[in-house]
């Protein structure tokens, strides 16, 4: 995979040439994948990004395998046609339901969010018991359970469908959200999983609720953010983890181009909350069914 991303070590006259910055395509059903892009910007600043948010067709979390697969493949092709040399499927639902289909349809390397999340959970746990929270579709697919069981871990998956709309409403520190999260997590950390020591945030929106979730999760539990772990997986694929501060100057800031299938204005407004940076270059895309 690294070889696919490295190019032109020398110019035609044989003189050393600066390595070309890779273009990474990031796909999500909407705004949530911007949490993964945010983590990527920190860990892999030496790249350019094209982001596709399928805002006209979200949520994916309540849709079927067939529909999510078809939408995700269209988006993957769109990103490739805009120069993506690698695809990051930032959406947990699309990864859970369609990673194999996307990987077979794509012509470039594809990284999903579930394997990195499961790997981080495996490194975190001491008692092999993991709670995963996500959308209905992610939980019904049991993709996290499969990935965790393959590492010898037991998993309880808990669907928390109300959390996505609450985050999109901006209620990330709201008493209602706290109460909803408390109800979900009380159900998740029960019976055989009362002492689970690791919880995976298996949805793009949940990193925005990290401090609220910290308050309602038992103190002994380590929270794994799949946005961060996915960015680390991409960084190691690219072999370009950021050097320690001060050791090497950073090159130009990443260029970012965004595509959204619904309102550009709404993407900009909501997206900035997820990304934590201004969103400037957004283009509307009309994907024909
Ligand atoms: N991006 C989705 C995920 O990570 C959440 C939003 C949706 O349901 O489309 O599962």
């Amino acid at each position: 995979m690294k070889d696919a991303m490295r190019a032109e070590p020398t110019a035609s006259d044989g003189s050393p040439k600066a390595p070309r910055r890779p273009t990474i395509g990031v796909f999500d059903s909407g705004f949530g994948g911007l949490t993964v892009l945010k983590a990527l910007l920190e860990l892999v600043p030496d790249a350019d990004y094209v982001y596709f948010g399928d805002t006209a067709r979200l949520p994916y979390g309540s849709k079927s395998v067939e529909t999510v697969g078809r939408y995700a493949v269209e988006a993957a092709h769109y990103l490739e046609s805009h120069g993506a040399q690698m695809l990051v499927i930032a959406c947990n639902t699309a990864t859970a339901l369609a990673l194999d289909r996307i990987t077979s349809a794509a012509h470039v390397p594809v990284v999903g969010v579930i394997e990195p999340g499961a790997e981080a959970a495996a490194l975190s746990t001491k008692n092999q018991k993991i709670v995963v929270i996500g959308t209905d579709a992610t939980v019904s697919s049991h993709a996290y359970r499969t990935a965790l069981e393959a590492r010898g871990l037991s998993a309880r998956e808990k669907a928390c469908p109300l959390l996505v709309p609450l985050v999109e409403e901006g209620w990330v520190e709201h008493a209602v959200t706290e109460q909803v999260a408390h109800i979900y997590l009380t159900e998740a950390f029960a019976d055989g999983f009362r002492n689970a020591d690791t919880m995976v945030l298996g949805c793009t929106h949940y990193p925005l609720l990290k401090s609220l979730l910290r308050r309602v999760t038992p103190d002994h539990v380590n929270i794994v953010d799949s946005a961060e772990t996915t960015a680390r997986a991409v960084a190691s694929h690219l072999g370009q983890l950021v050097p320690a501060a001060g050791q090497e100057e950073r090159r130009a800031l990443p260029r970012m181009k965004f595509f959204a299938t619904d309102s550009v204005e709404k993407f900009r407004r909501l997206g900035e909350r997820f990304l934590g940076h201004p969103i400037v270059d957004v283009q509307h895309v009309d994907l024909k069914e």
Side-chain angles (χ1 to χ4, degrees):
M1 185 176 300
K2 282 179 190 167
D3 288 344
M5 308 302 298
R6 303 239 178 262
E8 303 149 70
T10 56
S12 52
D13 63 359
S15 60
K17 191 175 172 185
R20 191 154 59 90
R21 292 163 70 88
T23 297
I24 300 177
V26 182
F27 163 61
D28 182 51
S29 56
F31 315 96
L34 294 166
T35 55
V36 177
L37 178 57
K38 183 177 184 186
L40 281 165
L41 291 173
E42 275 163 32
L43 274 177
V44 192
D46 236 0
D48 295 321
Y49 292 92
V50 279
Y51 180 97
F52 187 101
D54 199 2
T55 42
R57 304 193 288 197
L58 67 77
Y60 281 15
S62 52
K63 292 194 168 63
S64 67
V65 172
E66 170 50 34
T67 303
V68 169
R70 185 157 41 84
Y71 289 176
V73 166
E74 283 174 14
H77 285 155
Y78 193 85
L79 285 169
E80 280 189 59
S81 74
H82 283 79
Q85 296 160 279
M86 177 184 203
L87 294 174
V88 179
I89 310 306
C91 179
N92 286 259
T93 304
T95 303
L97 272 56
L99 187 67
D100 290 347
R101 189 165 161 185
I102 302 167
T103 306
S104 336
H107 307 94
V108 295
V110 179
V111 172
V113 282
I114 290 179
E115 283 296 319
E119 194 53 39
L123 291 173
S124 144
T125 188
K126 302 263 185 303
N127 66 5
Q128 278 67 51
K129 283 191 190 171
I130 318 290
V131 164
V132 182
I133 55 175
T135 64
D136 271 323
T138 298
V139 165
S140 308
S141 76
H142 298 305
Y144 270 107
R145 191 170 77 190
T146 306
L148 290 163
E149 285 180 355
R151 290 166 170 84
L153 310 175
S154 315
R156 163 158 299 159
E157 299 162 299
K158 174 73 186 160
C160 304
L162 292 175
L163 296 184
V164 165
L166 287 166
V167 169
E168 295 204 351
E169 195 58 34
W171 288 16
V172 294
E173 278 300 338
H174 199 289
V176 166
T177 312
E178 185 153 340
Q179 200 169 354
V180 167
H182 178 72
I183 294 168
Y184 284 142
L185 295 187
T186 303
E187 287 169 11
F189 286 91
D191 315 318
F193 283 82
R194 201 175 292 276
N195 65 342
D197 67 357
T198 299
M199 177 168 81
V200 178
L201 305 184
C203 173
T204 48
H205 287 54
Y206 302 167
L208 273 85
L209 295 174
K210 233 191 219 166
S211 28
L212 181 148
L213 290 171
R214 183 64 277 168
R215 292 200 294 279
V216 295
T217 305
D219 287 344
H220 67 275
V221 175
N222 186 30
I223 297 179
V224 169
D225 174 350
S226 60
E228 275 170 27
T229 57
T230 301
R232 261 184 248 133
V234 172
S236 70
H237 278 313
L238 291 173
Q240 57 169 53
L241 267 169
V242 180
Q247 275 186 355
E248 192 178 295
E249 68 181 280
R250 284 202 186 159
R251 296 193 295 124
L253 289 173
R255 272 190 302 244
M256 290 184 274
K257 184 160 183 57
F258 300 88
F259 300 99
T261 52
D262 194 21
S263 156
V264 162
E265 193 279 320
K266 186 174 179 195
F267 186 87
R268 230 181 248 128
R269 186 164 37 82
L270 264 185
E272 289 184 0
R273 284 215 302 263
F274 286 80
L275 187 62
H277 293 277
I279 292 182
V280 184
D281 189 357
V282 195
Q283 195 178 309
H284 179 257
V285 178
D286 199 4
L287 286 184
K288 299 279 174 256
E289 285 286 320

